[in-house]
Amino acid sequence: MKLIFLGPPGAGKGTQAERIAARYGLAHISTGDMLRAELRAGTPLGQQAQGYMNRGELVPDDIVVELVRVRLGEEDCQNGYILDGFPRTLTQAQIMDETSIDVDVVLNIEVADEKLVERLSGRRECKSCGAAYHVLYHPTHDGKTCDECGGELVTRSDDVPEVIRKRLVVYHRQTEPLKEYYRKQGKLTTVQGQEELAETTRIVLSAVAEAEAKL
């Protein structure tokens, strides 16, 4: 099975994609994670992307498409995958169709904007190992250092409220039109993200199982 997970920043699509990928034995492909790895490694690609991410803007299509193209060629993608954070624009979706990148189901997770600002501004990341935390939903033992390696916790530059709101404006303008694009193809399924992570997972699992039964 080949899926796309859509949703605004902070909707929880990354967490849900991880859980669904583990349940179905699929490769979880997160363009956000791949880009952040490039940033930490200081590669030329990462340096190109950094300015866009810091301003809350979308990374250009040519950079993201190249990342995805290379990743889909790896062995673990042959039995299916979840694309998390790609496509983000109609242009990217059209490139996917033109290059025969197959998709069976597009799962869209909806959450209100103000709830997303609250969620994202509370995120913290380990400066050393990249482990992710949240001041409310997944805090560390002391709120300052990583439980995994003891590294310093930092707030990502794109997780401050003013940048988050800009990211949401960009999402509504450039990414939300994908819902209609995939609805017309008969591939879109929409669920409401819940306050409790486990409840969202239950709803997502049910939606994926229902979509799979129709394939």
Side-chain angles (χ1 to χ4, degrees), residues 36-198:
R36 284 187 284 275
E38 297 287 336
L39 290 177
R40 287 194 294 270
T43 65
L45 182 61
Q47 292 171 6
Q48 281 184 276
Q50 186 168 28
Y52 295 97
M53 295 176 72
N54 287 349
R55 294 191 298 270
E57 299 174 3
L58 292 176
V59 177
D61 292 340
D62 58 342
I63 296 176
V64 182
V65 170
E66 178 62 14
L67 273 174
V68 174
R69 185 191 66 79
V70 172
R71 182 67 180 86
L72 290 179
E74 297 181 14
E75 181 64 28
D76 65 334
C77 295
Q78 303 313 304
N79 292 325
Y81 47 78
I82 297 176
L83 292 171
D84 169 13
F86 179 86
R88 290 193 178 185
T89 66
L90 283 173
T91 299
Q92 290 177 355
Q94 289 160 355
I95 291 171
M96 286 178 60
D97 288 344
E98 291 167 2
T99 55
S100 300
I101 296 177
D102 295 330
V103 174
D104 300 316
V105 178
V106 178
L107 186 82
N108 174 51
I109 302 176
E110 298 278 2
V111 179
D113 281 6
E114 286 310 306
K115 176 58 68 175
L116 295 170
V117 173
E118 175 187 300
R119 288 185 183 182
L120 289 171
S121 60
R123 295 199 302 193
R124 299 295 182 269
E125 184 175 79
C126 176
K127 192 174 181 180
S128 299
C129 72
Y133 300 95
H134 194 282
V135 295
L136 295 177
Y137 306 121
H138 182 38
T140 64
H141 68 289
D142 63 1
K144 298 178 181 179
T145 58
C146 176
D147 287 345
E148 298 295 326
C149 73
E152 177 189 0
L153 295 186
V154 296
T155 301
R156 281 170 30 190
S157 57
D158 55 347
D159 277 347
V160 295
E162 58 268 30
V163 175
I164 293 167
R165 290 188 174 91
K166 284 186 65 176
R167 292 170 66 194
L168 290 171
V169 169
V170 171
Y171 170 80
H172 290 307
R173 183 176 69 246
Q174 297 191 26
T175 305
E176 204 162 61
L178 287 169
K179 293 190 292 186
E180 183 61 22
Y181 182 80
Y182 286 116
R183 183 181 291 113
K184 288 179 178 178
Q185 294 185 8
K187 296 178 179 179
L188 185 73
T189 296
T190 295
V191 300
Q192 295 295 320
Q194 304 296 306
E195 190 70 25
E196 293 295 327
L197 181 63

